Amino acid sequence: MSDKTSGYLDMELLRFTTAGSVDDGKSTLIGRLLYDSKAIFEDQMEAIEISSKKRGDTEVDLALLTDGLRAEREQGITIDVAYRYFATPKRKFIIADTPGHIQYTRNMVTGASTANCALILVDARHGVIEQTLRHSYIANLLQIPHLIVCINKMDLMSYAEETYESIKNEYQKVADKLNIKDVRFIPISAKFGDNVVDASENMDWYKGETLLNLLENIEILDDRNHEDARFPVQYVIRPQSDEYHDYRGFAGRVASGVFKPGDKVKVLPSGKETTIKAIDTLNGELDIAFTPQSVTLRLSDEIDTSRGDMIVAADNVPHMEQEFDAMVCWMNERTMIAGGKYTIKHTSNETRCIVRNVNFKVDVNTLEEMTDDKTIGLNDIACLKLKTAKPLFFDSYKKNRNTGSFILIDEATNETVAAGMIR
Amino acid sequence: MNEYNINHLRELEAESIYVIREVAAQFENPVMLFSGGKDSIIMFHLARKAFAPAKVPFALMHVDTGHNFPETIEFRDRLMKETGTRIIIRYVQDSIDQGKAIEETGFDASRNKLQTVTLLDGLEELQVDCAMGGGRRDEEKARAKERFFSHRDEFGQWDPKNQRPELWNLFNGKKNMGEHFRVFPISNWTEMDVWQYIYLENIDIPNIYFSHERDVFLRHGNLLSASDFIPMRDTEKIEKRIVRFRTIGDATCTGAIESEANTLEDIIEEVAATRTTERGTRHDDKRSEAAMEDRKKEGYF
């Protein structure tokens, strides 16, 4: 096997999302990353060249690569989250390209929920605007560990260092206000490719990394929670064959922490203690399992365990409560019903809940907490008090993205109406 | 270096197994669509991993256009026998005979679009509430907008402008009677990931993915395999070439590529160096800019 082939097996996966307002050139930036990293193929390029010509454009519009739906191409806008893929010898990247329109904030939350890193686009001509604040707030609310602020369209500002510095200072104030820990800045021109994949010849005053270098090198392994052992039971495996007559395996994905055979564990909600007997996979037993692996656990004692239960470290248990406060982003046109009942999905658990109180609503433009306004509609972000029909096993979202997140489902329409993060 | 590190293929694998287990847990009567192509082969492989040592707790389903590569069908039957898996087969020919689907005419006629009729009828007849498919978001721009859990109305239609938001790994499979879901466990895999995984796991695939000599003819820049069910124009000439297939679909619309690659390592290097997408060998996508979107809205996979 050649070096090229074997090298591919050592790659890491990085998921990032992009946020910017309508004309910040987000799709162009993604098109540029794909194009310059050679992830765009000739037939794709040919197709967008033809489309650009049809629309009467003089230059090839890289945005057409990501706008996949007919309505998007017709209107020149991005409607829905699109997922894009590219790879370098170091990493495989998954991009969640999310629309910048105000009415589509829910898409940004969607893209941000799984991201390791967010690119915040700022138009160098306009600097930090209301939407920049909104996007940064959401990225921080969803606890995306790393933010990269791309100051775009530097070509329209004569590639001036002063422009970059003044926007950087302006944004740093936002970052301080939001308590964002890891933020980095890059001056770019997505249209001409400056500092995207290749270092810019027009901005020799910038000594930092290019965007692609940064994406390849940002340390992401330590972002995962390897402290608190949590295993939501997803499915019970019972082969009912002669060979595996008494086999009972608990299938699931490690939400956080580490499990090893012999570890003392507790099964929630019963609270009964036992030890891990074995960690099974099709290819044999493992001596360790950690997030985000999907495995099957066998327990030493027969304890009644089913989907929705959680296997946790015996000496480190999550909260087990029926009432809690959560930050919620509302994602549906139907406004929230005060005192209304919703289905709540949390890890592999599902139950009903009732909205007990709207503690406050956040004005995402000023970041003010408003306590008078109790109406929660599409794209609103609020802190709610919820009460569930049975206890949930959770950690705060800040500590654990997997056991601190939930969705609400409208029982009348079956639609996902809200994304929640437990405080 | 952090000791809790897994490479991107193992991370994709863990995600797909998680999705397949969610399907088994959330639905009453799911099926996994299986065509004998590489994507459905790895999806089935992942399903076996998800439930070991038990058998896969759902049936496979193949929508057979009748225009197959014989090697694929032999492979399918052997795999089902070896793994003791139940497969349900529904034939496009039956839909045509019943008058539900009308055969296209002309040289470029294909049964690709007709599969939707057979598929939707089959799902309804068998009361399937979730059909898993091997679609990948990197394949095509309409597929890039797909959810893992994709809701379909009672006509099997996809409404791309009104999809449910999908957050973290919390999948909402709730629906009304008569509606169903399409679930795409390998959404986040690319063509390269699939080949690397086949290599990593040593997964058996039909031999037509490897280089071989074949009677082919050139049409619209694609090398189509000469066969009884593809009518040829007078100007088209059969010739022997050394080829392999990058994708396997309906034989009337799947082109071969000239290639000497006859090991997985060779294929991986070839894919890395290739400058066209694999859908570029698929005639069905070239019909219009939104060909895939339109077919998906009607209920195609």
Side-chain angles (χ1 to χ4, degrees):
Chain A
M1 190 169 183
S2 73
D3 290 347
K4 204 161 146 194
T5 321
S6 60
Y8 193 89
L9 299 178
D10 294 326
M11 285 163 55
E12 275 178 338
L13 181 62
L14 179 114
R15 299 169 200 255
F16 68 93
T17 183
T18 55
S21 35
V22 181
D23 294 315
D24 282 345
K26 208 155 34 72
S27 297
T28 312
L29 175 63
I30 291 171
R32 173 59 65 186
L33 267 175
L34 297 174
Y35 185 73
D36 285 358
S37 65
K38 308 201 165 36
I40 290 177
F41 297 105
E42 280 166 7
D43 53 329
Q44 287 175 312
M45 201 60 198
E46 222 170 84
I48 67 161
E49 273 168 15
I50 294 168
S51 305
S52 297
K53 260 187 214 155
K54 261 193 215 162
R55 299 200 321 191
D57 298 345
T58 48
E59 279 171 70
V60 174
D61 185 357
L62 290 173
L64 289 170
L65 278 167
T66 55
D67 294 337
L69 302 174
R70 195 189 286 271
E72 291 176 322
R73 285 191 302 275
E74 280 166 8
Q75 298 168 45
I77 54 158
T78 313
I79 290 173
D80 197 26
V81 187
Y83 295 90
R84 295 284 153 193
Y85 304 84
F86 71 102
T88 67
K90 277 189 114 156
R91 276 184 178 160
K92 170 196 165 91
F93 298 97
I94 301 179
I95 316 174
D97 181 17
T98 61
H101 314 276
I102 293 165
Q103 65 268 40
Y104 290 123
T105 295
R106 68 171 201 168
N107 289 327
M108 181 179 167
V109 173
T110 303
S113 71
T114 50
N116 308 102
C117 174
L119 308 189
I120 306 270
L121 265 92
V122 176
D123 188 326
R125 293 170 304 173
H126 309 311
V128 175
I129 57 168
E130 211 174 87
Q131 288 209 27
T132 318
L133 192 63
R134 178 201 306 269
H135 294 143
S136 306
Y137 176 77
I138 293 172
N140 193 49
L141 181 69
L142 281 123
Q143 293 283 304
I144 300 180
H146 313 279
L147 296 193
I148 303 174
V149 178
C150 300
I151 299 164
N152 191 25
K153 306 200 182 180
M154 287 298 290
D155 52 300
L156 298 178
M157 299 301 288
S158 320
Y159 297 105
E161 186 175 4
E162 302 79 63
T163 307
Y164 167 73
E165 286 297 337
S166 108
I167 294 172
K168 188 175 156 183
N169 289 336
E170 210 180 331
Y171 189 88
Q172 193 58 57
K173 284 181 204 143
V174 173
D176 293 344
K177 194 171 170 188
L178 292 171
N179 198 18
I180 296 171
K181 283 169 207 85
D182 184 15
V183 56
R184 302 153 201 239
F185 302 87
I186 309 182
I188 64 168
S189 163
K191 194 172 175 189
F192 299 107
D194 297 84
N195 289 334
V196 179
V197 171
D198 303 314
S200 170
E201 287 171 13
N202 299 307
M203 292 178 276
D204 49 12
W205 46 264
Y206 173 75
K207 306 293 180 212
E209 290 182 282
T210 64
L211 178 58
L212 186 66
N213 274 334
L214 203 49
L215 289 170
E216 279 187 312
N217 295 321
I218 278 187
E219 191 56 59
I220 51 169
L221 280 170
D222 295 334
D223 300 337
R224 287 190 179 133
N225 179 332
H226 293 299
E227 308 296 316
D228 311 305
R230 307 278 185 261
F231 186 85
V233 175
Q234 207 187 346
Y235 190 84
V236 181
I237 292 175
R238 301 185 58 191
Q240 291 169 324
S241 60
D242 294 341
E243 195 185 345
Y244 295 99
H245 192 70
D246 294 321
Y247 187 97
R248 259 161 61 89
F250 303 105
R253 198 170 183 190
V254 182
S256 60
V258 179
F259 289 88
K260 288 178 184 158
D263 280 0
K264 274 190 159 178
V265 292
K266 208 175 242 185
V267 181
L268 302 179
S270 74
K272 288 193 177 128
E273 286 193 25
T274 180
T275 55
I276 305 272
K277 190 175 180 187
I279 303 167
D280 290 341
T281 71
L282 178 69
N283 307 76
E285 294 185 13
L286 300 179
D287 48 24
I288 187 168
F290 49 88
T291 181
Q293 288 180 316
S294 283
V295 295
T296 301
L297 301 184
R298 264 185 294 141
L299 303 176
S300 304
D301 301 286
E302 213 161 289
I303 295 176
D304 180 29
T305 306
S306 57
R307 178 174 167 86
D309 293 354
M310 193 185 279
I311 299 170
V312 304
D315 59 354
N316 171 354
V317 295
H319 299 279
M320 203 162 116
E321 314 270 349
Q322 269 180 276
E323 208 170 77
F324 50 85
D325 289 338
M327 293 303 292
V328 159
C329 178
W330 203 256
M331 312 190 112
N332 201 270
E333 262 108 30
R334 266 162 66 98
T335 52
M336 190 191 80
I337 300 157
K341 292 188 183 69
Y342 295 92
T343 296
I344 180 168
K345 254 183 167 326
H346 169 260
T347 65
S348 58
N349 213 343
E350 185 182 312
T351 184
R352 297 179 85 198
C353 73
I354 182 165
V355 182
R356 291 294 286 266
N357 189 36
V358 178
N359 299 342
F360 59 85
K361 194 168 150 179
V362 179
D363 180 334
V364 285
N365 299 323
T366 60
L367 305 186
E368 256 174 88
E369 294 178 2
M370 304 175 293
T371 46
D372 310 339
D373 187 358
K374 305 275 186 195
T375 331
I376 309 298
L378 181 62
N379 296 315
D380 280 343
I381 291 168
C383 178
L384 307 181
K385 183 176 282 302
L386 299 177
K387 183 171 167 85
T388 54
K390 63 176 187 186
L392 296 183
F393 329 119
F394 62 85
D395 298 283
S396 76
Y397 185 78
K398 276 206 161 71
K399 225 174 128 192
N400 197 324
R401 280 173 104 182
N402 290 326
T403 58
S405 53
F406 63 86
I407 56 170
L408 298 183
I409 298 167
D410 187 327
E411 294 178 355
T413 63
N414 291 329
E415 285 175 335
T416 304
V417 292
M421 289 141 281
I422 302 172
R423 298 255 272 181
Chain B
M1 194 67 177
N2 190 310
E3 60 181 308
Y4 308 123
N5 183 17
I6 54 174
N7 73 22
H8 69 297
L9 295 171
R10 293 297 177 207
E11 193 169 337
L12 290 170
E13 176 189 64
E15 176 180 80
S16 300
I17 289 173
Y18 173 82
V19 173
I20 294 168
R21 285 170 171 170
E22 273 307 286
V23 169
Q26 290 197 34
F27 296 95
E28 304 262 322
N29 189 26
V31 295
M32 180 171 270
L33 298 172
F34 186 88
S35 67
K38 65 182 190 312
D39 298 329
S40 56
I41 291 168
I42 71 152
M43 182 168 63
F44 175 58
H45 182 81
L46 291 161
R48 289 177 60 211
K49 286 198 158 200
F51 303 104
K55 279 188 181 167
V56 173
F58 39 75
L60 268 52
M61 181 177 177
H62 182 202
V63 178
D64 187 337
T65 63
H67 294 166
N68 302 299
F69 296 102
E71 296 89 340
T72 317
I73 300 301
E74 281 160 29
F75 178 89
R76 177 195 75 190
D77 294 342
R78 182 159 44 84
L79 184 64
M80 293 305 107
K81 209 175 145 194
E82 278 171 11
T83 56
T85 309
R86 189 165 71 95
I87 186 160
I88 301 160
I89 304 168
R90 286 293 177 272
Y91 299 93
V92 172
Q93 186 63 49
D94 289 345
S95 302
I96 294 169
D97 294 345
Q98 290 158 12
K100 287 176 173 166
I102 295 170
E103 187 105 70
E104 293 181 1
T105 53
F107 290 109
D108 293 327
S110 160
R111 287 183 169 180
N112 192 284
K113 205 176 162 209
L114 307 188
Q115 289 178 93
T116 304
V117 176
T118 313
L119 172 68
L120 290 177
D121 277 356
L123 297 181
E124 199 177 319
E125 175 209 327
L126 300 161
Q127 296 190 314
V128 168
D129 54 0
C130 172
M132 280 172 274
R136 308 190 325 258
R137 289 172 179 153
D138 80 317
E139 278 181 278
E140 204 279 333
K141 56 197 172 208
R143 282 196 166 153
K145 306 255 159 173
E146 263 292 8
R147 302 288 188 262
F148 275 98
F149 272 48
S150 183
H151 179 253
R152 299 300 151 110
D153 67 12
E154 56 187 324
F155 300 100
Q157 295 182 109
W158 182 52
D159 182 2
K161 283 204 271 184
N162 192 26
Q163 300 194 77
R164 290 179 186 173
E166 208 162 73
L167 297 123
W168 298 288
N169 50 15
L170 297 168
F171 298 115
N172 173 4
K174 296 204 181 294
K175 54 175 177 38
N176 292 317
M177 283 281 284
E179 299 174 344
H180 75 274
F181 269 79
R182 299 288 172 86
V183 171
F184 303 98
I186 60 164
S187 287
N188 278 333
W189 297 58
T190 62
E191 183 187 17
M192 188 54 148
D193 298 328
V194 169
W195 283 114
Q196 284 286 348
Y197 188 71
I198 289 169
Y199 175 79
L200 185 68
E201 291 277 301
N202 197 19
I203 300 169
D204 198 16
I205 52 170
N207 54 15
I208 60 174
Y209 279 116
F210 298 99
S211 178
H212 58 281
E213 190 181 70
R214 178 174 287 265
D215 286 339
V216 293
F217 65 95
L218 194 65
R219 176 178 292 177
H220 306 303
N222 275 333
L223 289 173
L224 292 187
S225 185
S227 86
D228 295 342
F229 41 73
I230 313 179
M232 289 174 59
R233 295 180 175 86
D234 293 341
T235 49
E236 293 168 335
K237 265 201 286 299
I238 292 178
E239 51 191 315
K240 282 201 189 310
R241 298 242 195 134
I242 304 293
V243 297
R244 68 173 201 89
F245 289 90
R246 264 179 98 183
T247 71
I248 297 180
D250 184 288
T252 58
C253 60
T254 306
I257 54 165
E258 294 203 83
S259 169
E260 302 273 345
N262 53 22
T263 63
L264 287 170
E265 288 99 316
D266 289 350
I267 291 176
I268 289 164
E269 292 207 4
E270 188 182 276
V271 171
T274 307
R275 299 302 304 144
T276 55
T277 64
E278 55 180 338
R279 302 296 306 185
T281 63
R282 293 291 275 263
H283 219 58
D284 42 329
D285 289 338
K286 293 190 169 172
R287 292 189 171 191
S288 89
E289 194 171 17
M292 177 65 92
E293 182 182 345
D294 294 343
R295 275 182 294 153
K296 278 181 70 70
K297 280 181 183 162
E298 289 164 12
Y300 187 77
F301 22 87

